[in-house]
Amino acid sequence: MKILIIGGTGTISSAITRQLAASGHELWLLNRGNRKDEVPANVKQVITDINDEARVLELVGDEQFDAVCEFIGFLPSQVERDIRLFKGRTRQYVYISSASAYNKPAASHVITEGTSLANPHWQYSRDKIACEELLMKAWREEGFPVTIVRPSHTYCERGVPVSVHGPKGSWQVLKRMIEGKPVLVQGDGSSLWTLTWNEDFARGFIGLLGNPKAIGEPFQIMSDEQLTWNQIYQCVANALGVTFKPYHVSSDFLASVAPKEWDFEGNLTGDKSVTVVFDCTKLKRAVPGFQCTTRFDEGVRRCVRHILNHPELQIEDPDFDQWCDRVIEVQDAARKSF
């Protein structure tokens, strides 16, 4: 197949790029070239700003694609741009939405593609819902061949997935663990969550490309493994070879005292604090044999090993560190006052 990926070097899409390139597909990446040295040699790179429509058309020319995959579309205006650029030029347009778009809290903790979409806590999710609605309208009214993909928390070796972290990523949480300090965990840490290794996700995603069962349909792609947040953090501590010292704080309190730009209401109340169990039966019917094979304890060991061997990924966040200490100090003081 001839495939164009908009993005292609991020947490999710980098694994898809590697697998498609290794499988002999004709793969194009359209992005700004920030990680061009990581792209396989047999991949054609179109380095430009996707928002410069005239330049994109100049570089792509009259090329036709079997699939165009959008990984960096977050707003309806960006989806409208893609429809203008690729209508009549692709047999399939795959849009990466988000499982955070599902209703919070949903009527059932078991989530399928039929679960209602509504998230009053997170603008990011509401924008994804609006993009989905626009694309499905284009499918119904104009035949635009859309497939919707809803990932949940997908990770790779570049970063360890945790729930409560600052704007510079998760390293500061790992550093607190290494230093023997307590780490913040929302609620009592017992809510269930799903983490998916990006190489596993890629196999399910690639199975939808060129798949006639995928046109006009949404699919969620994630692991069948569910862990509590306490178990997730314990796996991280085990990978580091340190003792896990959890400090539990309610999500509402964390959201109310964190800087607004950290958006803990969206990330926690609108996403990671809510127990969800994803049912991927629909994907497995469309992609027979799909199975995630990387347990989180295995994947996180790879992450920790990679990050410890790459100092450039160890980005410190002293403001977040001080904020954690302050939250602990305040809650301890409140507890002692009774």
Side-chain angles (χ1 to χ4, degrees), residues 28 33 36 38 48 78 85 87 118 132 141 143 151 154 157 160 224 240 263 276 280 287 301-302 310 314 317 335:
W28 296 43
K36 61 183 179 180
E38 300 177 17
T48 189
Q78 295 169 328
L85 283 170
K87 184 178 180 181
E132 286 198 30
E141 298 181 2
T154 308
E157 69 280 356
V160 172
D224 290 325
L240 289 168
D263 198 6
V276 286
C280 291
V287 186
R301 284 198 296 270
R302 299 180 200 174
H310 289 81
Q314 300 169 23
D317 193 344
R335 184 181 296 114

Side-chain angles (χ1 to χ4, degrees), residues 214-226:
I215 304 301
E217 295 290 336
F219 293 87
Q220 52 192 27
I221 305 176
M222 57 278 293
S223 172
D224 290 325
E225 180 185 38
Q226 294 94 39

Side-chain angles (χ1 to χ4, degrees), residues 10-16 18-19 154-158 196-204 294 302:
T11 296
I12 298 178
S13 59
S14 58
I16 295 167
R18 289 192 297 270
Q19 290 184 24
T154 308
Y155 68 107
C156 70
E157 69 280 356
R158 296 174 191 161
T196 307
W197 183 246
N198 69 341
E199 297 285 350
D200 287 337
F201 178 94
R203 291 193 295 275
T294 307
R302 299 180 200 174

Side-chain angles (χ1 to χ4, degrees), residues 38-213:
E38 300 177 17
V39 176
N42 63 331
V43 173
K44 180 176 178 61
Q45 297 189 69
V46 180
I47 298 176
T48 189
D49 183 346
I50 182 65
N51 292 305
D52 187 345
E53 296 183 40
R55 180 61 175 162
V56 170
L57 290 173
E58 178 184 343
L59 293 172
V60 173
D62 296 326
E63 300 289 343
Q64 298 282 322
F65 298 95
D66 294 299
V68 171
C69 309
E70 172 60 273
F71 282 86
I72 55 174
F74 304 101
L75 300 171
S77 60
Q78 295 169 328
V79 166
E80 290 171 341
R81 172 206 64 207
D82 287 356
I83 294 174
R84 287 194 299 271
L85 283 170
F86 299 110
K87 184 178 180 181
R89 299 167 65 95
T90 184
R91 294 186 176 92
Q92 183 181 28
Y93 173 90
V94 186
Y95 177 69
I96 304 301
S97 184
S98 170
S100 70
Y102 290 121
N103 193 19
K104 299 295 185 300
S108 169
H109 68 282
V110 178
I111 305 299
T112 72
E113 288 82 356
T115 299
S116 61
L117 304 181
N119 192 331
H121 302 287
W122 207 359
Q123 185 61 49
Y124 164 82
S125 304
R126 294 194 293 274
D127 288 338
K128 286 290 189 179
I129 294 169
C131 289
E132 286 198 30
E133 290 174 344
L134 191 155
L135 285 165
M136 292 308 294
K137 184 174 186 291
W139 158 243
R140 290 190 300 268
E141 298 181 2
E142 305 169 33
F144 188 68
V146 63
T147 298
I148 305 291
V149 172
R150 298 176 187 142
S152 185
H153 200 158
T154 308
Y155 68 107
C156 70
E157 69 280 356
R158 296 174 191 161
V160 172
V162 296
S163 53
V164 183
H165 62 81
K168 296 183 180 179
S170 62
W171 170 250
Q172 194 66 47
V173 178
L174 274 64
K175 189 170 186 288
R176 289 181 68 88
M177 285 185 167
I178 293 168
E179 293 173 348
K181 300 175 72 173
V183 295
L184 301 182
V185 180
Q186 78 279 9
D188 63 1
S190 66
S191 60
L192 292 174
W193 194 243
T194 298
L195 294 159
T196 307
W197 183 246
N198 69 341
E199 297 285 350
D200 287 337
F201 178 94
R203 291 193 295 275
F205 182 92
I206 291 170
L208 294 174
L209 299 183
N211 189 330
K213 296 179 180 179

Side-chain angles (χ1 to χ4, degrees), residues 104 121 251-252 255 264-274:
K104 299 295 185 300
H121 302 287
S251 296
D252 287 346
F264 277 4
E265 181 185 354
N267 277 287
L268 296 180
T269 311
D271 198 30
K272 297 177 181 66
S273 297
V274 182

